Amino acid sequence: EEEVYYQQLAQYQVEFMDHEEELAATERAVQYASSELKRLKRTNVINDTFHIWEQGCIGTINGHRLGRTQEEQVPWDEINAALGQVCLLLELLVSRCQYKLKDYDLLPRGSFSAIHRHGDGAPMPLYREDSFTKYLWDRGFDKAVVAFVSCVAEFAGFLEKSDRALRQFSLPYPIQGENVGPHSVRLTFKNLRTWTSALKLLLLNMKKMIMHVHFREREREAAMRPGGTEASGRWS
């Protein structure tokens, strides 16, 4: 009986050690998952998805140049792709903040994106053919870009008013009508470099909005945790 007892004790000790190893492995896995979750929460997913940078005097988004100069004749296919990314970015930011634009619907469709004014007929094209032959087409393109810029200004105004208690927001380059900073976004009869500069400033404004919306979401998550307090109307 004594021998059986010691055999059972030895078996129990082995099982106990195996259990401790499994428990330690589980705790390590939980710690790793927790650290990864914290890292991901700190990650600005929108900023990583829509990488805004510059290439000389031309702004870029996800590697697509948004603009052209006499010295750097960027293909319109690339510019159209950049405009599609910009349209998708604004649509995403507006959606994440549960905001509804007052006068327009954004129609992100890649290189053939458009913008539609409520109550009007056909959408306005946020893309352009690789030629300067169609004056009316150029005017339609200009109207679309000006309308898009007005949507950026409207959303920026929403962020400024709704988040005043959270953190003061303002665009680094103010938008007044068709102008971003000192430059017009109209292409027809304008200098290419001036137009390109306006689009670059527009991208920098949207970069600022990305950072603010990310901060806004992190603050909201913190307020929703146990012990956090969510200010009434702060997120509306």
Side-chain angles (χ1 to χ4, degrees), residues 14-231:
V14 170
E15 292 176 355
F16 180 76
M17 292 176 63
D18 288 343
H19 176 71
E20 282 195 323
E21 289 178 358
E22 291 177 3
L23 181 60
T26 302
E27 289 177 347
R28 289 194 297 269
V30 170
Q31 290 175 356
Y32 174 76
S34 297
S35 65
E36 282 295 288
L37 179 60
K38 290 178 181 178
R39 182 185 66 82
L40 289 172
K41 285 184 175 181
R42 291 193 300 267
T43 301
N44 189 333
V45 177
I46 303 178
N47 189 55
D48 290 346
T49 305
F50 296 92
H51 180 63
I52 293 174
W53 201 243
E54 59 183 315
Q55 186 174 317
C57 65
I58 301 177
T60 66
I61 180 167
N62 289 341
H64 300 299
R65 290 169 290 180
L66 183 58
R68 65 186 338 202
T69 65
Q70 295 294 342
E71 299 76 25
E72 194 166 358
Q73 293 289 314
V74 179
W76 275 102
D77 286 348
E78 182 175 345
I79 297 173
N80 292 339
L83 286 168
Q85 291 287 296
V86 169
C87 184
L88 180 60
L89 170 57
L90 183 58
E91 173 73 7
L92 177 61
L93 292 173
V94 167
S95 176
R96 292 286 282 262
C97 293
Q98 299 181 342
Y99 180 70
K100 178 70 175 176
L101 293 170
K102 296 176 181 177
D103 298 320
Y104 295 97
D105 290 319
L106 300 172
L107 305 174
R109 301 168 178 168
S111 298
F112 299 95
S113 296
I115 184 169
H116 181 249
R117 186 179 181 90
H118 299 161
D120 279 2
M124 297 175 285
L126 271 172
Y127 59 91
R128 192 174 181 280
E129 292 180 337
D130 198 1
S131 70
F132 287 91
T133 58
K134 295 184 178 180
Y135 174 70
L136 292 178
W137 178 266
D138 294 344
R139 290 185 62 188
F141 174 75
D142 276 347
K143 287 178 64 177
V145 176
V146 171
F148 180 82
V149 168
S150 74
C151 292
V152 174
E154 179 186 333
F155 182 60
F158 161 75
L159 293 178
E160 180 179 348
K161 293 176 182 177
S162 64
D163 294 345
R164 191 167 294 162
L166 173 66
R167 172 185 286 190
Q168 186 65 42
F169 174 82
S170 62
L171 291 175
Y173 302 98
I175 295 175
Q176 295 291 336
E178 66 185 52
N179 291 338
V180 184
H183 306 299
S184 171
V185 295
R186 286 189 183 275
L187 176 60
T188 307
F189 302 133
K190 298 291 182 181
N191 179 280
L192 273 177
R193 187 172 290 274
T194 298
W195 177 70
T196 297
S197 296
L199 295 180
K200 181 178 179 179
L201 299 185
L202 178 65
L203 282 176
L204 294 176
N205 278 344
M206 298 191 73
K207 179 83 169 180
K208 176 71 177 292
M209 289 196 297
I210 289 174
M211 305 309 293
H212 185 81
V213 169
H214 174 68
F215 177 81
R216 186 181 200 265
E217 291 180 342
R218 287 186 61 187
E219 286 295 302
R220 184 174 188 179
E221 289 173 0
M224 296 296 289
R225 296 192 196 106
T229 56
E230 186 172 359

